[in-house]
Coordinates of all heavy atoms in Angstrom, one line a residue:
L1 N 216.6 176.5 88.0 CA 217.4 175.5 88.6 C 217.6 174.3 87.7 O 218.7 173.8 87.6 CB 216.7 175.0 89.9 CG 216.6 176.0 91.1 CD1 215.9 175.3 92.2 CD2 217.9 176.5 91.5
A2 N 216.6 174.0 86.9 CA 216.7 172.8 86.0 C 217.7 173.1 84.9 O 218.6 172.3 84.6 CB 215.4 172.5 85.3
E3 N 217.7 174.3 84.3 CA 218.6 174.7 83.3 C 220.0 174.8 83.8 O 221.0 174.5 83.2 CB 218.2 176.1 82.6 CG 219.1 176.6 81.6 CD 219.3 175.8 80.3 OE1 218.5 174.8 80.2 OE2 220.1 176.1 79.5
S4 N 220.2 175.3 85.1 CA 221.5 175.5 85.7 C 222.1 174.1 86.0 O 223.3 174.0 85.9 CB 221.4 176.3 87.0 OG 220.9 177.6 86.7
S5 N 221.3 173.1 86.3 CA 221.8 171.8 86.6 C 222.2 171.2 85.2 O 223.2 170.4 85.2 CB 220.7 170.9 87.2 OG 220.4 171.5 88.5
R6 N 221.5 171.4 84.2 CA 221.8 170.9 82.8 C 223.1 171.5 82.3 O 223.9 170.8 81.8 CB 220.6 171.1 81.9 CG 220.9 170.5 80.5 CD 219.9 171.0 79.5 NE 220.1 172.4 79.1 CZ 221.0 172.7 78.1 NH1 221.7 171.8 77.5 NH2 221.1 174.0 77.8
L7 N 223.2 172.8 82.4 CA 224.3 173.6 81.8 C 225.1 174.2 83.0 O 225.2 175.4 83.1 CB 223.8 174.7 80.9 CG 224.9 175.3 80.0 CD1 225.5 174.3 79.1 CD2 224.3 176.4 79.1
A8 N 225.7 173.3 83.8 CA 226.4 173.7 85.0 C 227.6 174.6 84.7 O 228.0 175.5 85.4 CB 226.8 172.5 85.8
A9 N 228.3 174.3 83.5 CA 229.5 175.1 83.1 C 229.1 176.5 82.9 O 230.0 177.4 83.0 CB 230.1 174.5 81.9
G10 N 227.9 176.8 82.7 CA 227.4 178.2 82.5 C 227.4 179.0 83.8 O 227.2 180.2 83.8
A11 N 227.5 178.3 84.9 CA 227.5 179.0 86.2 C 228.9 179.0 86.9 O 229.0 179.3 88.0 CB 226.5 178.3 87.1
V12 N 229.9 178.7 86.1 CA 231.3 178.7 86.7 C 231.7 180.0 87.2 O 232.5 180.1 88.2 CB 232.3 178.1 85.6 CG1 233.7 178.4 86.0 CG2 232.1 176.6 85.5
L13 N 231.2 181.1 86.6 CA 231.5 182.5 87.1 C 230.3 183.2 87.5 O 230.0 184.3 87.2 CB 232.3 183.3 86.0 CG 233.7 182.8 85.7 CD1 234.4 183.5 84.6 CD2 234.6 182.9 87.0
S14 N 229.4 182.4 88.1 CA 228.1 182.9 88.5 C 228.2 184.1 89.5 O 227.5 185.2 89.3 CB 227.3 181.8 89.2 OG 226.2 182.3 89.9
G15 N 229.0 184.0 90.5 CA 229.1 185.0 91.6 C 229.5 186.4 91.1 O 228.7 187.4 91.2
P16 N 230.6 186.6 90.4 CA 231.1 187.9 89.9 C 230.1 188.5 88.9 O 230.1 189.7 88.7 CB 232.4 187.6 89.3 CG 232.9 186.3 89.8 CD 231.7 185.5 90.1
A17 N 229.3 187.7 88.2 CA 228.4 188.3 87.2 C 227.4 189.2 87.7 O 227.0 190.2 87.0 CB 227.8 187.1 86.4
G18 N 227.0 189.0 89.0 CA 226.0 189.9 89.5 C 226.5 191.4 89.6 O 225.7 192.3 89.4
G19 N 227.8 191.5 90.0 CA 228.3 192.9 90.1 C 228.3 193.6 88.7 O 228.1 194.8 88.7
I20 N 228.6 192.8 87.7 CA 228.6 193.5 86.3 C 227.2 193.9 85.9 O 227.0 194.9 85.3 CB 229.2 192.5 85.3 CG1 230.5 191.9 85.8 CG2 229.5 193.3 84.0 CD1 231.5 192.9 86.3
A21 N 226.2 193.0 86.3 CA 224.8 193.4 86.0 C 224.4 194.6 86.7 O 223.7 195.5 86.2 CB 223.9 192.2 86.4
A22 N 224.9 194.8 88.0 CA 224.6 196.0 88.8 C 225.3 197.2 88.1 O 224.7 198.3 88.1 CB 225.1 195.8 90.2
A23 N 226.5 197.0 87.6 CA 227.2 198.1 87.0 C 226.5 198.6 85.8 O 226.5 199.8 85.5 CB 228.7 197.7 86.7
T24 N 226.0 197.7 85.0 CA 225.3 198.0 83.8 C 224.0 198.9 84.1 O 223.7 199.9 83.5 CB 224.9 196.8 83.0 OG1 226.0 196.0 82.7 CG2 224.2 197.1 81.7
Y25 N 223.3 198.4 85.2 CA 222.1 199.2 85.6 C 222.6 200.5 86.2 O 221.9 201.6 86.0 CB 221.4 198.4 86.7 CG 220.2 199.0 87.2 CD1 219.2 199.4 86.4 CD2 220.0 199.1 88.6 CE1 218.0 200.0 86.9 CE2 218.8 199.7 89.1 CZ 217.8 200.1 88.3 OH 216.7 200.7 88.7
A26 N 223.7 200.6 86.9 CA 224.2 201.8 87.5 C 224.6 202.8 86.4 O 224.4 204.0 86.5 CB 225.4 201.6 88.4
A27 N 225.2 202.3 85.3 CA 225.5 203.2 84.2 C 224.3 203.9 83.7 O 224.4 205.1 83.3 CB 226.2 202.3 83.1
E28 N 223.2 203.2 83.6 CA 221.9 203.9 83.2 C 221.4 204.9 84.2 O 221.1 206.0 83.9 CB 220.8 202.8 83.0 CG 219.5 203.3 82.6 CD 218.5 202.2 82.5 OE1 218.9 201.0 82.4 OE2 217.3 202.5 82.5
L29 N 221.5 204.6 85.5 CA 221.1 205.5 86.6 C 221.9 206.7 86.6 O 221.4 207.8 86.8 CB 221.1 204.8 87.9 CG 220.0 203.8 88.3 CD1 220.3 203.2 89.7 CD2 218.6 204.4 88.2

């Protein structure tokens, strides 16, 4: 939370990033 508050611009596309993380894991599975 502290880092996200400091570097808020890094969370501008926070939501869609989870799906890509899932796809990377799915590629392995």
Side-chain angles (χ1 to χ4, degrees):
L1 292 183
E3 176 66 9
S4 300
S5 297
R6 182 193 74 82
L7 193 61
V12 163
L13 292 175
S14 166
I20 314 307
T24 304
Y25 182 53
E28 179 183 340
L29 284 179

